[in-house]
C-alpha cells in the first residue's frame, strides 16, 4: 500500500496521501485528514480560523506514525493546525501538506529566463493566507529528476528524513512549502536514487547561505533585509570600459591581512581596512578570488559548490553586500572570479546529485578533469546551462557586482585540454572544440550584457582561440576582455633572464604587439605566478638585491605603459620574497624596510600616473594609441615607444633592461619644446640609484626614430622612464 512508502521513506507523491484527501464518491463521509508523525502519540486537528477542534486523529492500525481523521460529507476542507503529543513533550504544528497548491506552482521558469532559477528554486521566503491570518513560510524546491524519493531535512524536523517527504512534479522538481520556517533555519535534502539507494545528504545547489565543515548545511536566507546605499548602481552614468583606466588589485579575502590571532578578516573588517588602502594606492577595481562557497580552504575558492552563496568563512551574505556597497561608495569597482569549469566530488555537493550524472558529463573522458581531480559540468544539458547562467546573473543582481572574470576558459573550449590521445572524445566534426561550451559562453555573455549593460566579463583564456572578446553577433564569444597570458609568459621569461642574455630574447618583449589588437586584453600578473614553487615576482629577478628590485621596478613600469588594462596580485606591490600562502597574511612587516616601501610607492605612483594620463589607457585597443620608436635595439636591451590619446597628447616610454646606464641616449619626439620626466623607476623615492637624467629636457631639430625632433637622455640602469612635452603654465 502507498502508506508503507512513508515508513520506508520512499514516498514520491505525499500530496496524494497526506493532508486533506477526498474519499470515494459513494462514501457516507467526504473528507479524510491524514498526517504522518512518526514520533507522535496523539494528534488533534484544530481550525485555523476559529481555533476549535476539528477532531482527534486516530492512529492507523497497520502503519505506525500515520494518524487519520474522517469528517462528515457535508464538511469542507479548511485551514488547520495540529496539536501534537509525544512521549516527552507537546507542540503545535502547521502541517505543510495543506499547502499543496502553493508548492505545486512554485516552479514555472522558462529557458529564456535563467534568473528564474534563483527566484523559484532553493529556499524562497513567502507568505501564506492561513485561516484569518497571514503567516510566514519557506517554499523549498530542488531539481532531481532521476531521484525516486526526496525528503527535506533540517532544523524544522530534527533532521528526520521520514518527517517531510517532498512532492515530485512532472518536470523533475521536488517541492514542499513549510510554514514558520524563517531565515537562518538550516536544511538539506535526503535523496534516494532511482533504485531506492540512499545518497549522502545533499546541500541545496541553489542555497544562498551555507555553513562550513562539518555540516555544510544550507541556510534559509532573506535577500530583502539589506538596505543598499548604492541605490543608483544599475542607473549609474555609463562608462566605456575600453577607453577608461582599469588597474585591478587581485586579492584573496582570507589572506590579504589577518588579525593578531592569524584569523581572516570578516567582510566588514575587509571593507574598513582594504578600501582606504585601495584608494591610497590608486587602483580602480578589486578582483576577488572566488568567494562562492567551497569546502576546501586550499582550493582558494576554485573548487566551488555553492554558486549562489558567498562563503560564510568571512560573514553572512549581508556582510558581503556591505563590502561591495562600501567599495561602490568609494568609487571602487568589484570583480569576482567565477568558476563554471568544474566542481569537486564532495558527497554533499553536485556530483551524482540524484544518483545520476545530473550536473556532470557521464563519460569521464568528458566529465572528469585530470588536472584538478574534479567534475566537469555538462554544457549540453539545458538545466545545467540555465544553472550556470543563473549563477552569473545572481551575483550581478543581488550583490551589485561590476564584473565576472571567468576562470579556466581554455579548459572548457577544448575537449582535449590537458588530455592525451585516446583520453578524449572528438566533437561531431571530429575536432577538439567543445561546441556546447562555446554556445554556453555566447549565451552567458548575451544575458549579462543585455540585462546588466554596465557589467564587464573577462576570460582567462590561455590559447589563441579567436574572437574571445568580440561580440556574439560578429561570431565571437562575447567577453568584454581577455587575459593576455602570452604577454605575461613572454615578458616574465624575458625579465627573469640575466641581463647579459636578454639580447637573445628581445622578441619576448616585443612580440605581444604583433597581436595586441586581436582582443581586448588585460595584462595579468596574477596569483598563478606566485604559487606552486614559482617563487615571488621579486625572486624571479636576476642579480643582487639592488638589481632584483630595479629589474622589477622597470618591469612594472613597462607593464603600465604597454597597451591593455592592468592586473596585479596582492603582495606584488610589497616586493615579497616569499610565495603567497592562503594560510597567512601578506608580509606587511616588509614596509619597515626602504626597499619594500620604495616598491609600494612605485606601484602607487604608477597607478595615479596611469589614471591621470589618458595616453596610457584611452586608446588601449586602437592602433592609433601606440607607436614603436625603437623595438630593435636588442644589443643594448632597450625599448622606446609612445602612447597617444584621442586628442593627440603623447607619453614617451623608454626602458633600459641592463644594469649599464646609457649616456646621450637619443629619443625621437613629435614636437619641439621642453620635455619633462614624469616617472623614473630609478628615483631615490623607489630605492633607485637616482642616476641624473634631468627633470626638463629640450628638444633638438633632427629626424630620429622617424620623428622631426629628438631629445638626449642620460638613461639610468635597469629603469623605465615616462616623459611628456612640458605644458605651458
Amino acid at each position: 500500500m502507498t502508506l508503507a512508502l512513508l515508513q520506508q521513506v520512499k514516498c514520491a507523491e505525499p500530496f496524494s496521501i497526506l493532508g486533506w484527501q477526498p474519499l470515494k464518491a459513494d462514501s457516507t463521509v467526504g473528507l479524510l485528514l491524514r498526517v504522518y508523525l512518526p514520533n507522535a502519540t496523539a494528534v488533534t486537528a484544530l481550525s485555523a480560523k476559529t481555533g476549535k477542534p476539528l477532531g482527534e486523529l486516530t492512529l492507523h492500525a497497520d502503519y505506525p506514525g500515520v494518524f487519520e481523521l474522517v469528517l462528515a460529507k457535508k464538511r469542507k476542507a479548511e485551514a488547520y493546525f495540529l496539536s501534537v503529543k509525544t512521549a516527552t513533550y507537546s507542540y503545535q504544528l502547521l502541517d505543510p501538506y495543506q499547502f499543496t497548491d502553493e508548492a505545486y506552482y512554485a516552479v514555472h521558469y522558462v529557458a529564456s529566463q535563467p534568473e528564474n532559477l534563483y527566484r523559484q528554486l532553493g529556499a524562497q521566503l513567502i507568505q501564506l493566507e492561513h485561516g484569518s491570518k497571514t503567516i510566514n513560510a519557506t517554499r523549498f524546491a530542488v531539481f532531481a529528476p532521476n531521484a525516486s524519493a526526496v525528503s527535506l531535512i533540517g532544523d524544522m524536523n530534527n533532521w528526520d528524513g521520514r518527517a517531510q517527504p517532498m512532492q515530485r512534479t512532472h518536470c523533475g522538481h521536488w517541492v514542499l512549502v513549510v510554514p514558520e520556517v524563517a531565515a537562518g533555519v538550516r536544511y538539506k535534502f535526503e535523496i534516494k536514487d532511482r533504485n531506492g539507494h540512499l545518497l549522502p545528504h545533499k546541500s541545496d545547489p541553489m542555497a544562498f547561505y551555507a555553513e562550513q565543515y562539518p555540516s555544510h548545511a544550507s541556510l534559509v536566507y532573506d535577500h530583502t533585509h539589506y538596505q543598499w546605499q548604492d541605490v543608483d548602481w544599475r542607473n549609474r552614468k555609463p562608462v566605456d570600459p575600453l577607453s577608461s583606466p582599469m588597474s585591478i588589485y587581485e586579492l584573496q579575502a582570507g589572506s590579504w591581512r589577518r588579525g593578531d590571532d592569524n584569523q581572516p578578516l570578516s567582510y566588514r573588517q575587509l571593507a574598513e581596512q582594504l578600501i582606504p588602502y585601495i584608494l591610497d594606492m590608486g587602483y580602480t577595481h578589486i578582483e576577488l578570488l572566488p568567494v562562492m562557497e567551497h569546502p576546501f580552504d586550499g582550493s582558494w575558492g576554485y573548487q566551488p559548490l555553492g554558486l549562489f552563496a558567498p562563503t560564510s568563512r568571512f560573514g553572512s551574505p549581508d556582510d558581503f553586500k556591505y563590502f561591495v556597497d562600501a567599495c561602490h561608495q568609494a568609487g571602487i569597482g568589484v570583480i569576482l572570479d567565477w568558476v563554471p569549469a568544474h566542481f569537486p566530488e564532495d558527497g554533499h555537493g553536485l556530483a551524482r546529485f540524484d544518483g545520476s550524472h545530473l550536473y556532470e558529463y557521464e563519460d569521464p573522458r568528458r566529465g572528469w578533469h585530470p588536472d584538478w581531480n574534479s567534475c566537469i559540468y555538462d554544457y549540453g544539458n539545458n538545466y545545467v546551462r540555465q544553472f550556470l547562467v543563473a549563477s552569473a546573473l545572481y551575483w550581478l543582481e543581488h550583490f551589485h557586482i561590476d564584473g565576472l572574470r571567468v576562470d579556466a576558459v581554455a579548459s572548457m573550449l577544448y575537449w582535449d585540454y590537458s588530455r592525451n590521445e585516446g583520453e578524449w572524445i572528438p566533437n561531431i566534426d571530429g575536432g577538439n572544440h567543445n561546441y556546447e561550451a562555446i554556445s554556453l559562453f555566447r549565451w552567458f555573455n548575451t544575458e549579462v550584457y543585455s540585462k546588466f549593460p554596465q557589467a564587464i566579463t573577462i576570460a582567462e583564456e590561455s590559447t589563441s582561440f579567436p574572437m574571445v572578446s568580440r561580440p556574439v553577433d560578429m561570431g565571437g564569444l562575447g567577453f568584454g576582455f581577455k587575459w593576455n597570458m602570452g604577454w605575461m609568459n613572454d615578458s616574465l621569461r624575458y625579465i627573469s633572464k640575466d641581463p647579459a642574455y636578454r639580447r637573445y630574447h628581445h622578441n619576448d618583449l616585443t612580440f605581444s604587439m604583433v597581436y595586441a589588437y586581436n582582443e581586448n586584453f588585460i595584462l595579468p600578473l596574477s596569483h598563478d605566478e606566485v604559487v606552486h614553487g614559482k617563487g615571488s615576482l621579486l625572486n624571479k629577478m636576476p642579480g643582487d638585491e639592488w638589481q632584483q628590485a630595479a629589474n622589477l621596478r622597470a618591469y612594472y613600469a613597462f607593464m603600465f605603459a604597454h597597451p591593455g588594462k592592468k592586473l596585479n596580485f596582492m603582495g606584488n606591490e610589497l616586493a615579497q620574497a616569499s610565495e603567497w600562502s592562503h594560510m597567512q597574511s601578506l608580509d606587511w612587516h616588509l614596509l619597515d624596510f626602504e626597499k619594500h616601501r620604495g616598491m609600494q610607492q612605485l606601484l602607487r605612483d604608477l597607478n595615479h600616473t596611469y589614471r591621470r594620463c589618458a595616453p596610457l589607457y584611452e586608446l588601449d585597443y586602437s592602433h592609433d594609441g601606440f607607436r614603436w620608436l625603437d623595438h630593435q635595439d636588442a644589443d643594448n636591451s632597450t625599448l622606446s615607444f609612445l602612447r597617444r590619446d584621442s586628442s593627440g597628447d603623447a607619453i614617451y616610454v623608454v626602458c633600459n633592461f641592463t644594469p649599464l646606464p646609457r649616456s646621450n641616449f637619443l629619443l625621437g619626439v613629435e614636437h619641439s619644446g621642453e620635455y619633462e620626466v614624469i616617472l623614473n623607476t630609478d628615483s631615490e623615492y623607489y630605492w633607485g640609484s637616482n642616476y641624473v637624467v634631468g627633470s626638463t629636457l629640450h628638444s633638438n631639430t633632427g629626424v630620429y626614430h622617424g620623428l622631426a625632433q629628438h631629445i638626449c637622455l642620460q638613461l639610468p640602469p635597469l629603469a623605465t622612464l615616462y616623459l611628456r612635452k612640458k605644458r605651458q603654465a
Side-chain angles (χ1 to χ4, degrees):
M1 182 179 173
T2 307
L3 292 179
L5 297 178
L6 287 171
Q7 297 174 316
Q8 298 164 10
V9 198
K10 293 182 178 180
C11 182
E13 297 181 353
F15 291 179
S16 67
I17 57 175
L18 297 179
W20 289 117
Q21 300 297 325
L23 293 179
K24 294 180 180 179
D26 59 355
S27 173
T28 58
V29 291
L31 280 176
L32 169 70
L33 177 60
R34 182 185 290 127
V35 300
Y36 180 54
L37 297 167
N39 298 316
T41 57
V43 181
T44 300
L46 301 98
S47 169
K49 186 174 183 179
T50 65
K52 295 180 179 180
L54 299 175
E56 184 172 349
L57 282 71
T58 302
L59 180 63
H60 200 289
D62 298 323
Y63 300 101
V66 176
F67 292 81
E68 295 179 334
L69 173 65
V70 177
L71 295 181
K73 194 169 185 178
K74 64 180 181 179
R75 298 289 296 273
K76 295 182 179 180
E78 63 174 294
Y80 63 92
F81 62 94
L82 303 173
S83 177
V84 183
K85 292 182 180 180
T86 71
T88 55
Y89 58 91
S90 300
Y91 63 96
Q92 288 191 341
L93 173 69
L94 284 174
D95 185 17
Y97 299 96
Q98 61 187 303
F99 302 106
T100 56
D101 285 349
E102 292 85 349
Y104 266 129
Y105 301 112
V107 183
H108 51 270
Y109 64 81
V110 293
S112 61
Q113 296 176 320
E115 62 271 29
N116 284 347
L117 264 70
Y118 58 79
R119 295 173 182 173
Q120 297 175 13
L121 299 188
Q124 303 288 338
L125 291 165
I126 62 172
Q127 290 189 322
L128 301 170
E129 297 303 321
H130 187 249
S132 58
K133 296 180 180 178
T134 299
I135 60 172
N136 294 321
T138 298
R139 185 184 64 215
F140 295 91
V142 62
F143 187 64
N146 299 300
S148 62
V150 177
S151 291
L152 177 69
I153 55 175
D155 294 336
M156 73 293 289
N157 57 30
N158 294 316
W159 300 88
D160 185 345
R162 301 172 299 170
Q164 293 179 339
M166 300 180 76
Q167 173 74 26
R168 178 169 53 198
T169 71
H170 69 279
C171 54
H173 297 90
W174 299 76
V175 296
L176 188 66
V177 170
V178 184
E180 298 181 324
V181 169
V185 170
R186 301 177 303 157
Y187 69 98
K188 279 187 173 181
F189 300 112
E190 183 175 286
I191 301 176
K192 291 186 176 177
D193 67 14
R194 64 181 58 181
N195 297 315
H197 297 139
L198 180 65
L199 303 174
H201 288 168
K202 293 292 187 177
S203 300
D204 185 357
M206 304 293 301
F208 300 149
Y209 195 14
E211 282 191 333
Q212 296 301 307
Y213 175 87
S215 77
H216 297 299
S218 305
L219 285 83
V220 180
Y221 172 71
D222 183 0
H223 259 305
T224 66
H225 180 69
Y226 184 79
Q227 299 297 312
W228 286 92
Q229 300 303 306
D230 66 344
V231 291
D232 294 326
W233 174 76
R234 293 192 73 163
N235 299 315
R236 62 198 185 280
K237 183 179 179 181
V239 173
D240 178 12
L242 298 180
S243 61
S244 301
M246 184 184 298
S247 180
I248 304 166
Y249 188 71
E250 184 191 38
L251 72 144
Q252 200 260 346
S255 58
W256 176 71
R257 182 177 289 163
R258 291 196 168 204
D260 294 336
D261 54 358
N262 200 38
Q263 291 300 304
L265 301 180
S266 69
Y267 291 125
R268 290 178 181 264
Q269 290 173 323
L270 194 64
E272 293 167 2
Q273 298 183 36
L274 175 66
I275 290 173
Y277 183 75
I278 295 298
L279 292 175
D280 174 56
M281 291 298 295
Y283 293 98
T284 64
H285 294 72
I286 60 167
E287 180 178 320
L288 291 166
L289 272 59
V291 298
M292 296 78 185
E293 194 58 84
H294 51 281
F296 178 47
D297 287 357
S299 76
W300 317 327
Y302 288 103
Q303 294 273 19
L305 281 174
L307 263 62
F308 297 82
T311 179
S312 59
R313 286 169 175 82
F314 315 126
S316 70
D318 276 5
D319 293 332
F320 184 64
K321 290 179 181 180
Y322 175 89
F323 171 78
V324 177
D325 204 355
C327 286
H328 286 171
Q329 291 176 66
I332 300 166
V334 181
I335 301 167
L336 295 187
D337 276 11
W338 182 61
V339 188
H342 58 106
F343 59 89
E345 275 202 305
D346 297 64
H348 68 280
L350 303 178
R352 293 172 292 282
F353 185 77
D354 59 2
S356 71
H357 296 275
L358 178 60
Y359 286 90
E360 67 271 27
Y361 287 111
E362 183 174 2
D363 193 313
R365 291 173 294 176
R366 289 188 169 179
W368 181 251
H369 208 301
D371 283 355
W372 301 308
N373 291 324
S374 55
C375 300
I376 300 173
Y377 287 102
D378 182 351
Y379 306 115
N381 181 309
N382 283 334
Y383 175 76
V384 173
R385 292 164 64 85
Q386 293 164 14
F387 175 81
L388 292 173
V389 174
S391 170
L393 298 176
Y394 171 81
W395 293 96
L396 294 162
E397 178 179 337
H398 282 292
F399 294 97
H400 295 195
I401 297 304
D402 298 283
L404 294 167
R405 175 266 195 185
V406 183
D407 183 64
V409 168
S411 74
M412 299 170 63
L413 292 175
Y414 300 97
W415 287 121
D416 61 344
Y417 182 89
S418 198
R419 296 178 188 270
N420 298 318
E421 190 67 31
E423 296 177 346
W424 59 283
I425 304 173
N427 62 33
I428 193 172
D429 296 318
N432 65 346
H433 285 175
N434 184 340
Y435 295 149
E436 295 166 354
I438 292 169
S439 170
L440 174 68
F441 283 134
R442 288 172 173 158
W443 186 34
F444 153 76
N445 281 303
T446 299
E447 288 289 325
V448 168
Y449 282 108
S450 63
K451 292 170 180 173
F452 299 91
Q454 295 194 56
I456 59 173
T457 61
I458 304 166
E460 186 218 10
E461 204 286 308
S462 55
T463 75
S464 57
F465 192 94
M467 302 181 71
V468 171
S469 58
R470 294 295 178 260
V472 171
D473 58 11
M474 291 176 57
L477 294 185
F479 286 94
F481 296 93
K482 173 181 172 175
W483 273 19
N484 193 337
M485 311 294 279
W487 172 87
M488 181 270 297
N489 286 317
D490 290 349
S491 63
L492 278 180
R493 182 170 57 248
Y494 174 89
I495 203 66
S496 299
K497 301 287 184 185
D498 186 292
Y501 301 105
R502 286 175 177 167
R503 66 177 65 187
Y504 306 114
H505 302 274
H506 198 69
N507 187 58
D508 284 343
L509 277 190
T510 61
F511 181 66
S512 58
M513 289 309 302
V514 173
Y515 59 87
Y517 304 107
N518 292 352
E519 303 278 2
N520 301 328
F521 281 122
I522 291 175
L523 311 183
L525 292 175
S526 75
H527 66 280
D528 282 330
E529 311 319 312
V530 293
V531 291
H532 301 319
K534 294 179 182 177
S536 69
L537 289 185
L538 181 69
N539 281 349
K540 294 184 195 323
M541 303 298 116
D544 58 24
E545 182 183 14
W546 186 89
Q547 288 186 4
Q548 280 188 313
N551 272 298
L552 188 54
R553 292 193 302 267
Y555 178 59
Y556 281 152
F558 167 70
M559 171 194 188
F560 271 78
H562 190 287
K565 310 309 179 185
K566 325 300 175 190
L567 179 141
N568 265 286
F569 185 55
M570 65 180 193
N572 287 356
E573 76 277 20
L574 304 181
Q576 288 198 177
S578 58
E579 279 194 347
W580 166 62
S581 169
H582 71 278
M583 296 184 291
Q584 63 189 40
S585 173
L586 296 181
D587 294 338
W588 293 103
H589 63 276
L590 293 176
L591 294 177
D592 292 339
F593 302 95
E594 187 178 358
K595 175 178 75 173
H596 301 279
R597 288 198 304 274
M599 193 68 71
Q600 184 192 49
Q601 184 61 49
L602 173 65
L603 265 296
R604 181 186 288 114
D605 287 352
L606 279 171
N607 274 323
H608 288 288
T609 300
Y610 166 73
R611 293 179 67 171
R612 69 172 176 261
C613 293
L616 294 176
Y617 63 80
E618 190 178 46
L619 299 179
D620 269 332
Y621 307 109
S622 168
H623 290 273
D624 295 335
F626 178 90
R627 173 176 172 170
W628 282 118
L629 298 178
D630 188 352
H631 64 285
Q632 297 180 319
D633 189 15
D635 287 342
N636 293 313
S637 297
T638 70
L639 283 177
S640 55
F641 55 90
L642 66 80
R643 296 296 310 279
R644 186 181 287 109
D645 64 17
S646 58
S647 66
D649 288 341
I651 299 289
Y652 298 83
V653 181
V654 187
C655 304
N656 178 12
F657 288 114
T658 71
L660 302 175
R662 304 292 175 188
S663 300
N664 301 319
F665 182 89
L666 299 183
L667 178 71
V669 295
E670 294 180 305
H671 305 289
S672 64
E674 291 186 336
Y675 285 76
E676 59 182 341
V677 177
I678 62 171
L679 188 134
N680 175 6
T681 64
D682 187 53
S683 167
E684 62 181 338
Y685 295 112
Y686 312 134
W687 205 60
S689 69
N690 221 34
Y691 188 84
V692 176
V693 178
S695 59
T696 301
L697 305 156
H698 295 272
S699 68
N700 299 295
T701 301
V703 175
Y704 205 80
H705 293 151
L707 300 177
Q709 302 282 318
H710 64 271
I711 55 178
C712 183
L713 297 170
Q714 309 308 313
L715 193 56
L718 294 173
T720 295
L721 306 181
Y722 294 177
L723 303 96
R724 70 180 175 192
K725 189 174 184 298
K726 194 172 183 180
R727 296 172 179 173
Q728 298 297 322

